[in-house]
Amino acid sequence: MSGQHNGLKTAALLGLLTSLILAVGYWLGGSGGLIIAVFISLATNAVSYFYSDRIALRAMGARPVSEAEFPELHQMVRELATDAGQPMPRLYVSPAMQPNAFATGRNPEHAAVAVTVGITRILTVRELRGVIGHELSHVYNRDILISSVAAGLAGIVTMLAQLAIFLPFFGGSDDEDSPNPAGLLLMAILGPLAASIIQLAISRNREFQADASGATLTRDPLALASALEKIHYGTQRAPLPADAQLTSTAHLMIANPFRGGGMSSLFATHPPMAERIRRLHQQASLTGPHLR
């Protein structure tokens, strides 16, 4: 039931983002500009969609690892993938000492799961299994596709807003039916802001969904809850530098790799960790704490 609710919420948010595009496009009255913005944004995000795995793995300095190097990790991932009826993903390890993990790839056949050295040192086997279940669920739920679509739609709004800034210079404001410059400036600011807020809401919703479906896959919600507590503590103690590459891939990670709090929490790609942990405890109370 929770999965259905999250799916409907994501669909509603994507619909709201699409409606925002149509509203802005209609208000501007520039169908030609709308078409150009759509094509540019879709092309940009198509690259992100097909190469997101390479971008994310490079940003974290992750390298592929063999079964001889990490036999327990390979066995854990293989068992969960088999339980889900999915192919074995590629496995990577990042040298980062911050405890974190992420999965990427446009579908299960092109999936990659990466963990940091830091996370392997602080989690128990049971907790790490809970994390792997979460990451595999991102792949099985097609979250890379969903986030790419959301980013593409948000990008269209941003491009339309930038186009709006230049309309007065091309005579757009001479027509009495055209928006006035003040209105264009306001839309140029509020349009991208609204699109970003909706995009971030989609990202946070997908994290809740991955927590729930990952806990269902491992049949151990409390293991993931315990892991998230340790990961949150570790990421706050050792935040990663917010450079361009890491910022663009941060939404893929199980926890925000940067220092949170304050106003930045309003624009976070991840929901509050306390709420995620609370929901997992609630799931455990309904389904049993550990069913393996």
Side-chain angles (χ1 to χ4, degrees):
M1 193 66 180
S2 175
Q4 282 185 328
H5 173 74
N6 285 328
L8 288 172
K9 188 175 179 182
T10 298
L13 288 167
L14 285 172
L16 184 59
L17 202 48
T18 303
S19 298
L20 181 61
I21 293 171
L22 296 175
V24 171
Y26 178 79
W27 189 65
L28 288 175
S31 57
L34 177 61
I35 292 172
I36 292 172
V38 168
F39 275 109
I40 293 176
S41 184
L42 291 181
T44 301
N45 286 281
V47 172
S48 174
Y49 174 61
F50 285 105
Y51 296 99
S52 61
D53 53 347
R54 300 181 193 180
I55 296 169
L57 293 167
R58 188 182 303 117
M60 289 296 290
R63 66 176 183 86
V65 290
S66 66
E67 189 160 6
E69 292 176 275
F70 282 85
E72 203 165 51
L73 179 63
H74 273 262
Q75 180 182 355
M76 185 185 300
V77 176
R78 185 180 295 109
E79 286 178 356
L80 289 174
T82 300
D83 287 348
Q86 300 289 350
M88 176 77 175
R90 293 168 290 142
L91 297 186
Y92 291 78
V93 170
S94 162
M97 294 310 298
Q98 182 191 86
N100 225 315
F102 64 92
T104 186
R106 59 188 184 273
N107 54 43
E109 289 73 29
H110 297 86
V113 173
V115 297
T116 64
V117 169
I119 204 172
T120 64
R121 293 187 177 181
I122 69 168
L123 298 189
T124 65
V125 172
R126 181 185 166 199
E127 290 166 341
L128 184 58
R129 187 173 179 276
V131 168
I132 296 299
H134 169 101
E135 296 305 334
L136 289 176
S137 290
H138 271 309
V139 177
Y140 303 155
N141 294 340
R142 299 298 196 274
D143 284 338
I144 305 302
L145 172 60
I146 292 170
S147 62
S148 295
V149 170
L153 295 175
I156 292 170
V157 174
T158 300
M159 288 184 183
L160 285 172
Q162 292 171 343
L163 177 66
I165 296 174
F166 295 102
L167 280 182
F169 297 102
F170 292 98
S173 59
D174 293 337
D175 188 341
E176 61 181 17
D177 293 327
S178 298
N180 60 58
L184 289 172
L185 181 61
L186 187 64
M187 191 275 291
I189 296 170
L190 296 182
L193 179 61
S196 295
I197 290 172
I198 296 170
Q199 183 187 357
L200 290 170
I202 291 171
S203 177
R204 290 190 287 267
N205 192 56
R206 300 320 297 166
E207 285 302 316
F208 281 133
Q209 177 61 52
D211 284 344
S213 53
T216 299
L217 175 61
T218 61
R219 298 187 288 278
D220 196 358
L222 295 184
L224 179 56
S226 177
L228 290 178
E229 288 186 31
K230 292 183 179 180
I231 292 168
H232 180 63
Y233 178 73
T235 54
Q236 293 303 297
R237 285 194 63 187
L240 295 180
D243 61 39
Q245 268 200 325
L246 281 175
T247 301
S248 67
T249 57
H251 67 283
L252 296 173
M253 300 185 192
I254 194 168
N256 181 7
F258 312 124
R259 191 178 298 282
M263 288 295 292
S264 63
S265 61
L266 296 175
F267 297 94
T269 55
H270 294 69
M273 193 64 83
E275 176 61 15
R276 294 173 66 182
I277 293 169
R278 186 195 69 78
R279 291 190 183 200
L280 285 166
H281 278 275
Q282 183 181 46
Q283 184 175 349
S285 69
L286 296 173
T287 61
H290 186 42
L291 303 182
R292 286 188 68 83

